[in-house]
Structure formats: C-alpha cells, structure tokens
C-alpha cells in the first residue's frame, strides 16, 4: 500500500516491514489499542496467515475494548485467538505492588507463547513503541525475560508516528484515546478487587456515553472517585445538570465521594507518588 508521509517516517515504516519480514511468523499480544492494532495490520500485510493476534480477557480489560478488538480483526482477516488471563489470580498481583505490571505481563506472555508454539509460530511480539522507553513500564522486564520482540520499538516508531501511519491506512484507531488496564486506576498498595474494577469500568462507560473522549476514573481510599478528562473537555463537564447526573450515577455505582481532577487527564498520574 502506498502512503503519503515524510521521508523520515517512511524510513521507519520500511524498517518495521523489513524487521517483521525477517521474523517469519508472529503471535501478537493484541489489545485493540492504537499500537497493537497498527502492528497487527502491518504484520498481516507482510506475513499473511503467519500472523496470529492473541487477546487476553480478564476483569481488568473492559468489554468494550474486547468487542472493538474482535470487530477490527474480522475486518482485517487475520487469525484471532481469545484467551483468559485473570490477573487477580496471580499471587501478589491483587496487593497492587509497584511492579504489578511485571506479574501481569509475565503470565500474559507465557500464555501467548503456548499459543505460538501450538501453531508453529516462531516469535511473540508486543505493541510497545519507542516512547515507552521513557516511561515507567515494569512489564518490559517480563518481555525481555521471555524473549518477546517489540517491532514498533525496533523501528523507532513513536506514538505520534503510529497515529499518523494509522490515519494513512484508514485504521479506526488512529485517533483512539490512550488506554491502560483498569488496575492502573487504583493507587499502588491498595488492594485490587473485582468490585472496584467493575465500579471503575461502569463509571468510565457512563462518561464515554455522555460523549467524553478521554476519561479516567481513579479509585481512591474510602470509595472516592477522581475523574480525569481531557482539558479540552473541561468546559463541557462544568454544567450543573451534567454534574448532578454524574454524581447520581457514581453514587449508584457505589462511590461515596466524586471529584474532578483540575489538572485533567494525563498518562501515569498514579506514578506521581513514586517520584520517578
């Protein structure tokens, strides 16, 4: 497919395709997000039926994300396997340690490797991009230990690069808001439970249903909800009737206190306490 991009980005794109071609076959950890969707698309274009997209369902993964992932893969035509990976059953995970993501990714990649070997696939890949090298990502340690490759990172593709290329490809995720698993809404050290995850998922679904695009509902002690929305959507939120509607819905879900974070949405806000 011919795409209209600048020379630098074209070089990264060609490097990505050549690297994927050199691997021969891939089982991709596919969440339905911007990065993994783009990777699946390119990998399928290069390797065809030697690519398998593997999606793991769990209580930390919203149903809307799973449905979107299934819909996209059907459109692309790639083989898609859905597995179960219940993080809350991993010893230590529900205690929510700082390296929580390590335990989650370790189990996920181990299960994807089993799928890969069962289908004669040589490599397992994730959707990590070049920007992730500058973020706190305990899961990258698990990827390294289990020999999981990161084609987007190898090609030097940033999140902005991936969005640009996704737009050129006509992928529906090119402007999709960033997403992280629901466990990331709970402060480190506070126990993760299915009840809390369910409250968070339903609260975010409600805000998305009101038309907000980028939302996070952070769950704090004493059932306090700290709502993060995009700064460009703040004015929309500051409507008395809407505030009352959100308050009533959140209390119905079980929250006792409902707050709006005046700094708005930003990735990794729970990491501020780590002084990284």
């Amino acid at each position: 497919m011919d795409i209209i991009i600048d020379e630098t980005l074209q070089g990264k794109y060609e490097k990505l395709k050549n690297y994927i071609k050199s691997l021969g076959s891939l089982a991709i950890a596919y969440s339905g997000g911007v990065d993994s969707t783009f990777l699946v698309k390119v990998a399928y274009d290069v390797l065809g039926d030697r690519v398998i997209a593997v999606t793991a369902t769990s209580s930390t993964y919203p149903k809307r994300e799973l449905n979107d992932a299934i819909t996209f893969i059907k459109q692309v035509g790639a083989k898609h396997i859905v597995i179960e990976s219940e993080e809350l059953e991993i010893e230590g995970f529900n205690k929510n340690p700082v390296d929580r993501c390590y335990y989650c990714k370790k189990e996920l990649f181990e299960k994807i490797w089993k799928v890969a070997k069962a289908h004669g696939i040589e490599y397992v890949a994730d959707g990590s991009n070049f920007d992730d090298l500058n973020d706190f990502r305990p899961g990258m340690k698990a990827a390294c230990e289990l020999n999981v490759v990161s084609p987007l990172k190898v090609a030097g593709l940033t999140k902005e690069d991936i969005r640009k290329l996704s737009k050129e490809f006509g992928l529906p995720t090119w402007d999709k808001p960033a997403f992280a698993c629901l466990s990331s809404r709970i402060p480190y050290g506070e126990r993760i439970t299915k009840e809390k995850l369910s409250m968070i998922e339903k609260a975010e679904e409600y805000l998305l249903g009101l038309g907000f695009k980028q939302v996070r509902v952070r769950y704090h002690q004493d059932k306090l909800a700290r709502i993060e929305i995009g700064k460009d959507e703040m004015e929309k939120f500051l409507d008395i009737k809407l505030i009352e509607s959100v308050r009533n819905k959140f209390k119905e879900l079980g929250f006792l206190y409902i707050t709006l974070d005046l700094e708005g949405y930003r990735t990794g806000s729970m990491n501020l306490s780590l002084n990284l």
Side-chain angles (χ1 to χ4, degrees):
M1 178 180 181
D2 294 327
I3 53 177
I4 305 171
I5 51 177
D6 63 63
E7 187 174 339
T8 300
L9 188 51
Q10 180 70 46
K12 292 181 182 180
Y13 174 59
E14 293 300 327
K15 184 175 181 178
L16 174 65
K17 291 194 295 181
N18 291 333
Y19 178 66
I20 290 173
K21 185 177 181 180
S22 73
L23 297 175
S25 58
L26 276 178
I28 299 173
Y30 173 59
S31 67
V34 178
D35 300 328
S36 62
T37 294
F38 174 71
L39 179 58
V40 166
K41 168 61 178 172
V42 177
Y44 185 68
D45 285 348
V46 174
L47 299 175
D49 60 9
R50 288 173 293 167
V51 170
I52 297 176
V54 184
T55 302
T57 63
S58 74
S59 54
T60 70
Y61 184 57
K63 293 181 180 63
R64 69 173 183 276
E65 295 292 324
L66 175 61
N67 293 335
D68 288 347
I70 292 173
T71 298
F72 175 76
I73 288 296
K74 286 182 178 178
Q75 294 172 350
V76 171
K79 185 175 182 62
H80 189 202
I81 295 177
V82 179
I83 61 175
E84 290 187 11
S85 180
E86 185 48 74
E87 294 91 341
L88 295 184
E89 296 177 1
I90 302 173
E91 186 175 355
F93 180 88
N94 63 6
K95 294 180 181 178
N96 204 4
V98 172
D99 59 349
R100 172 195 67 229
C101 290
Y102 168 78
Y103 299 101
C104 171
K105 293 297 185 182
K106 186 173 185 294
E107 175 172 283
L108 171 64
F109 293 141
E110 286 175 344
K111 289 188 173 181
I112 294 178
W113 265 118
K114 289 180 180 179
V115 172
K117 290 176 181 177
H119 289 81
I121 300 295
E122 296 179 71
Y123 291 91
V124 169
D126 71 1
S128 297
N129 64 58
F130 196 72
D131 289 334
D132 293 330
L133 293 172
N134 300 316
D135 197 4
F136 178 62
R137 301 273 179 171
M140 290 172 63
K141 178 183 176 184
C144 182
E145 290 177 353
L146 293 169
N147 298 314
V148 173
V149 297
S150 303
L152 303 177
K153 197 186 301 178
V154 170
L157 286 161
T158 65
K159 177 71 79 173
E160 183 180 357
D161 292 335
I162 294 164
R163 287 190 184 281
K164 286 181 180 178
L165 288 168
S166 295
K167 187 175 184 180
E168 289 293 336
F169 275 126
L171 300 183
T173 50
W174 76 268
D175 63 345
K176 183 176 182 177
F179 174 77
C181 86
L182 296 175
S183 297
S184 67
R185 319 299 200 257
I186 302 173
Y188 296 117
E190 181 167 333
R191 183 173 291 274
I192 301 170
T193 66
K194 287 187 177 182
E195 178 189 14
K196 292 175 183 177
L197 295 173
S198 178
M199 288 169 64
I200 292 167
E201 179 177 4
K202 290 174 182 177
E204 292 189 353
E205 281 287 347
Y206 182 72
L207 293 176
L208 291 169
L210 292 176
F212 292 101
K213 295 180 179 179
Q214 184 70 76
V215 303
R216 291 287 186 273
V217 176
R218 310 291 188 184
Y219 186 112
H220 290 271
Q221 194 172 10
D222 297 326
K223 296 185 178 180
L224 183 148
R226 174 167 61 87
I227 300 170
E228 294 180 9
I229 57 174
K231 291 183 179 180
D232 59 334
E233 298 182 292
M234 284 284 196
E235 187 174 352
K236 175 183 176 180
F237 194 94
L238 300 178
D239 174 86
I240 294 300
K241 289 185 178 180
L242 188 145
I243 289 174
E244 290 178 350
S245 176
V246 170
R247 180 198 64 203
N248 292 337
K249 181 62 178 181
F250 276 44
K251 283 187 174 291
E252 177 187 313
L253 293 175
F255 289 104
L256 295 179
Y257 308 99
I258 301 95
T259 66
L260 175 67
D261 190 321
L262 299 184
E263 287 196 58
Y265 165 78
R266 65 270 194 211
T267 59
S269 70
M270 289 302 196
N271 293 336
L272 294 176
S273 63
L274 302 179
N275 296 316
L276 295 173

